[in-house]
Amino acid sequence: EAEVAQSPRYKITEKSQAVAFWCDPISGHATLYWYRQILGQGPELLVQFQDESVVDDSQLPKDRFSAERLKGVDSTLKIQPAELGDSAMYLCASRAPGANTGELFFGEGSRLTVL
Amino acid sequence: DQQVKQNSPSLSVQEGRISILNCDYTNSMFDYFLWYKKYPAEGPTFLISISSIKDKNEDGRFTVFLNKSAKHLSLHIVPSQPGDSAVYFCAASPYGYDQNFVFGPGTRLSVLP
């Protein structure tokens, strides 16, 4: 069964360091999302891509976060410098074109701990 | 300001009984709603959806009810099984399914054998 792949699964870093997360969506899924989930809260959208174009990055803290999807396939989310408050699960999701249910397929996530 | 609220952080139900998970929203532009289930150390998985043109959608043991006037939806699981123990997220989208989704904080369901 096709899956959304994310790496690394776990990342521990010190504040002020740079961190990067990678996501490979299900093949053929043009829409890709990065969500952040803080413990005890629901996922919050950071950025949405349609192919290689950013559709919505209004909630992305652009002073330290960046995201790219250069060839419209896999995507990278970067944080530089990391802060203590960035400790969270970073979830990548993709959606099939024209999907009637609007269902998002999520990866297993990348858990970030900033010390 | 939370646009999607799940006011019960946790719920315990006996196996075989009904589980009812509630969700309230404030944005009247939301017209498409989904429920996701999340096990520990896994990403959320889609469960069931409903659009605002319906007031009920059923899929096996899972039924979602939508009350637009009250801006309220609920997920019913009948009968509940131990494998249903997970965190359940309600998500809502404006302008149909093609937009991004706003998630609630989740409700942790425990189904006791």
Side-chain angles (χ1 to χ4, degrees):
Chain A
E1 185 177 310
E3 294 182 342
V4 175
Q6 287 190 247
S7 66
R9 287 292 308 276
Y10 303 94
K11 178 70 177 179
I12 300 174
T13 191
E14 294 184 344
K15 64 180 182 179
S16 80
Q17 296 299 304
V19 194
F21 303 111
W22 176 80
C23 172
D24 191 12
I26 294 172
S27 178
H29 283 199
T31 311
L32 183 148
Y33 307 80
W34 283 101
Y35 281 87
R36 177 172 61 184
Q37 185 185 6
I38 295 171
L39 196 62
Q41 299 181 19
E44 295 178 287
L45 180 71
L46 291 174
V47 62
Q48 177 183 349
F49 288 93
Q50 182 67 30
D51 298 306
E52 67 276 8
S53 300
V54 173
V55 173
D56 183 353
D57 65 355
S58 57
Q59 301 303 311
L60 189 71
K62 298 180 188 63
D63 57 336
R64 297 184 302 107
F65 285 65
S66 64
E68 61 183 17
R69 194 184 182 197
L70 294 176
K71 297 182 179 178
V73 181
D74 58 338
S75 174
T76 302
L77 177 70
K78 296 179 181 177
I79 308 174
Q80 183 173 20
E83 296 182 352
L84 295 177
D86 297 332
S87 294
M89 175 75 83
Y90 290 83
L91 293 163
C92 179
S94 67
R95 184 164 60 81
N100 290 329
T101 65
E103 176 185 354
L104 303 183
F105 292 83
F106 282 89
E108 293 185 314
S110 296
R111 180 165 293 284
L112 173 65
T113 302
V114 182
L115 304 175
Chain B
D1 180 32
Q2 269 190 339
Q3 297 187 70
V4 178
K5 303 176 184 181
Q6 294 177 256
N7 292 324
S8 298
S10 62
L11 174 68
S12 292
V13 170
Q14 209 68 34
E15 181 180 4
R17 306 296 290 269
I18 183 171
S19 295
I20 300 177
L21 295 95
N22 294 304
C23 176
D24 297 286
Y25 60 97
T26 59
N27 189 337
S28 58
M29 300 305 292
F30 287 152
D31 64 358
Y32 192 75
F33 307 89
L34 295 85
W35 285 93
Y36 281 83
K37 178 169 71 174
K38 185 180 184 302
Y39 293 118
E42 295 183 11
T45 54
F46 170 74
L47 203 52
I48 194 169
S49 64
I50 189 168
S51 74
S52 58
I53 62 173
K54 293 184 174 182
D55 55 16
K56 176 183 174 181
N57 190 24
E58 195 171 350
D59 184 2
R61 297 186 296 113
F62 303 91
T63 303
V64 56
F65 296 91
L66 175 62
N67 182 333
K68 283 182 60 179
S69 61
K71 295 190 179 68
H72 175 84
L73 60 157
S74 60
L75 174 68
H76 292 212
I77 306 173
V78 183
S80 301
Q81 300 174 354
D84 297 329
S85 297
V87 177
Y88 289 79
F89 293 101
C90 170
S93 169
Y95 318 119
Y97 65 85
D98 207 32
Q99 304 299 317
N100 64 65
F101 292 91
V102 179
F103 283 78
T107 295
R108 179 176 301 278
L109 173 66
S110 299
V111 180
L112 309 173

